[in-house]
Each structure stands twice: as structure tokens, then as C-alpha cells.
């Protein structure tokens, strides 16, 4: 099957409320255009430079899409990131939150952000501990930053292996998400971004309303990118 068929098939299989972020790393402009033609709306990028290149090469089309940063953001790339991205899914410290807020303030724009929760992946240090009090503390801190709008939680977790092993972590993140929604309760917090190609079905069962898909839509990447891509 081609990219378009893959996308349409998955779109049909999963509930309509679940948003699909198209993990675009290492993909060509043509591949991205194909998935846009099929109805794709959100592009997920791991690297600021790659995102800029894709954004520019798509021309007018790029402006109709939403761009989400799903890789870890280096402080010296924030200004560039703010030119491309609508949302940064990978805030995991007060320092990073503050740095993004400050640069967004300079541009006088409010940026959508997610907190990244580290769900027991030993391979990446990214993400805050999946502990409610810790996530809440960061969320509270962020709610005092006027140029950030906290709209979601994101989890990474293992890309390979049995997706059932991720279920308990997805559930834990969902619990944190629901508690936060109750306690922060300004209505902005509404996206739970979890699940990738091998785990999106389990993630949706456990409450994800946003999944980040690369391989199942575009096919295997042409290199061995290991377990994560940062
Ligand atoms: C690459 C990547 C994905 C998608 O991974 P696939 O296994 O190709 O679906 C999702 N999230 C992040 C953060 C990624 O880097």
C-alpha cells in the first residue's frame, strides 16, 4: 500500500477524535505532500532545521498545516522553532518553559506547549518523571508564564518491543492527565499525545487522543534510527 492508502486506512480505523501527528523525520517533500493530499493536517518534526527546510519547501501549503515539535528542543534553537511550530510537545523543565516563554514574549505570540512525561523509558532522559506531584508542579509554574498555553501531555516510551508493555505507562500518564485537568481546569489542557506506530492502538485504548505516526504511514525509514530520534 502507498502512503495515501495507509493514512486513509488508519484514519478509518481509529476514532475520529484522535488526531494524527505525522512523524516526518527523514521523509521527502513528496512523501509529505502525499499524506497531505490524503487529509493529513499535523506535521511532527524532531529537528528544528529539518522542520524549517520542510516548511519552506512546501510553500503556501505549509501554512495550512499545524507543525508540532516532537524532538527535544535546544535552547539556542527556540527562536527558529517559534517561526515554524504551532506547538512544542517536549517541555520538560521550568528552565526550558521559561526560555520558550521569554522568546515568545519577544515575538508577542502565545505558543501551545505540552509537558513531556518520561514513561519508564530508560533510553531517553527526556521528560519529567511520571509522578503527579512533579508534573503538577511544572504545570503550575507554566500557568504563570503568559506566553505559554499548556494544552497537553506527551509521552515517548519504547518504540520497539511489545506494545502491551507500554500499557501500564500509558494508563499512568492518562491518570496524571485527568487529575491535572481537574485541578488546573482552565479548559486548555486537552491533548494526550501518546502512541507511535507499534503502540498507537494500545495508547488509544488507554485514552490517547493524539498519536504520532511515522513508519505505519510512510514505511520503514531508510536507516537504522535506533529506539528514539533526538
Ligand atoms: C519518530 C517518532 C515517532 C514516530 O515513530 P514511528 O515508530 O515511526 O511511528 C513518534 N514520536 C516521536 C517523538 C518520534 O521521534
Amino acid at each position: 500500500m502507498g502512503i495515501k492508502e495507509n493514512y486513509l486506512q488508519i484514519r478509518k480505523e481509529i476514532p475520529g477524535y484522535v488526531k494524527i501527528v505525522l512523524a516526518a523525520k527523514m521523509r521527502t517533500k513528496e512523501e509529505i505532500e502525499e499524506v497531505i493530499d490524503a487529509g493529513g493536517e499535523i506535521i511532527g518534526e524532531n529537528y528544528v532545521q529539518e522542520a524549517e527546510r520542510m516548511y519552506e519547501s512546501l510553500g503556501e501549503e505549509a501554512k495550512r498545516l499545524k507543525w508540532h515539535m516532537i524532538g527535544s528542543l535546544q535552547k539556542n534553537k527556540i527562536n527558529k522553532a517559534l517561526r515554524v511550530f504551532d506547538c512544542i510537545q517536549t517541555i520538560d523543565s521550568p528552565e526550558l518553559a521559561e526560555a520558550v516563554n521569554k522568546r515568545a514574549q519577544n515575538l508577542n505570540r502565545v505558543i501551545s506547549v505540552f509537558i513531556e512525561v518520561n514513561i519508564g523509558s530508560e533510553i531517553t532522559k527526556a521528560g519529567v518523571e511520571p509522578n503527579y506531584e512533579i508534573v503538577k508542579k511544572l504545570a503550575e509554574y507554566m500557568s504563570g508564564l503568559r506566553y505559554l498555553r499548556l494544552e497537553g501531555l506527551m509521552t515517548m516510551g519504547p518504540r520497539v518491543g511489545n506494545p502491551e508493555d507500554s500499557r501500564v505507562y500509558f494508563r499512568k500518564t492518562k491518570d496524571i492527565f485527568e487529575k491535572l485537568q481537574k485541578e488546573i481546569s482552565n479548559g486548555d489542557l486537552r491533548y494526550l499525545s501518546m502512541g507511535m506506530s507499534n503502540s498507537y492502538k494500545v495508547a488509544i485504548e488507554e485514552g490517547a487522543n493524539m498519536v504520532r505516526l511515522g513508519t505505519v504511514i510512510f514505511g520503514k525509514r531508510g536507516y537504522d534510527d535506533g529506539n528514539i530520534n533526538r
Side-chain angles (χ1 to χ4, degrees):
M1 284 207 299
I3 292 170
K4 194 166 187 169
E5 290 77 16
N6 290 340
Y7 178 83
L8 292 173
Q9 181 67 32
I10 291 175
R11 193 60 279 178
K12 203 165 67 188
E13 279 170 14
I14 66 177
Y17 64 81
V18 177
K19 299 209 179 282
I20 299 177
V21 176
L22 299 149
K25 59 181 167 270
M26 304 301 286
R27 303 302 175 181
T28 63
K29 178 189 173 209
E30 288 70 28
E31 289 173 302
I32 300 304
E33 281 177 331
E34 195 173 336
V35 79
I36 298 168
D37 277 350
E41 294 169 331
I42 310 174
I43 308 297
E45 293 277 3
N46 293 68
Y47 302 102
V48 175
Q49 255 159 322
E50 225 179 292
E52 276 183 313
R53 244 180 280 133
M54 185 64 78
Y55 191 96
E56 277 159 27
S57 74
L58 288 173
E60 280 302 302
E61 225 167 8
K63 300 189 181 118
R64 289 194 293 273
L65 302 165
K66 294 288 180 211
W67 295 79
H68 284 215
M69 178 63 174
I70 60 174
S72 52
L73 178 60
Q74 292 168 325
K75 287 215 183 88
N76 62 0
K77 299 276 170 60
I78 295 173
N79 279 330
K80 282 187 172 175
L82 287 173
R83 288 209 292 266
V84 174
F85 293 109
D86 300 284
C87 174
I88 296 167
Q89 295 203 7
T90 49
I91 302 292
D92 63 358
S93 71
E95 292 77 23
L96 183 59
E98 207 204 320
V100 172
N101 182 68
K102 195 165 136 200
R103 286 163 184 79
Q105 175 167 18
N106 292 340
L107 299 171
N108 197 26
R109 72 168 282 213
V110 174
I111 175 98
S112 162
V113 291
F114 294 4
I115 291 175
E116 179 174 358
V117 179
N118 186 336
I119 55 166
S121 162
E122 284 151 26
I123 299 137
T124 168
K125 298 194 303 295
V128 296
E129 224 181 285
N131 169 301
Y132 178 65
E133 292 305 324
I134 293 175
V135 178
K136 184 182 165 204
K137 207 166 154 210
L138 179 56
E140 279 174 343
Y141 176 73
M142 287 164 69
S143 65
L145 299 174
R146 288 182 47 211
Y147 295 85
L148 304 187
R149 187 185 303 119
L150 179 59
E151 293 195 328
L153 297 187
M154 180 273 217
T155 59
M156 185 72 191
R159 284 260 306 285
V160 292
N162 186 349
E164 282 299 329
D165 296 341
S166 299
R167 187 182 291 277
V168 56
Y169 298 110
F170 289 152
R171 191 168 296 172
K172 200 163 175 178
T173 310
K174 162 80 169 179
D175 287 345
I176 294 173
F177 178 71
E178 286 185 333
K179 265 194 191 164
L180 270 186
Q181 275 186 320
K182 278 195 205 103
E183 296 201 7
I184 290 187
S185 76
N186 70 352
D188 284 338
L189 185 67
R190 59 188 184 282
Y191 295 116
L192 187 54
S193 170
M194 50 185 200
M196 300 179 274
S197 289
N198 83 326
S199 59
Y200 71 94
K201 289 178 187 157
V202 172
I204 291 169
E205 283 167 14
E206 296 303 330
N209 57 18
M210 185 178 275
V211 293
R212 307 180 310 274
L213 305 178
T215 317
V216 275
I217 288 177
F218 300 109
K220 278 215 164 72
R221 282 176 288 275
Y223 68 109
D224 179 15
D225 61 359
N227 193 42
I228 56 158
N229 301 276
R230 303 263 172 171

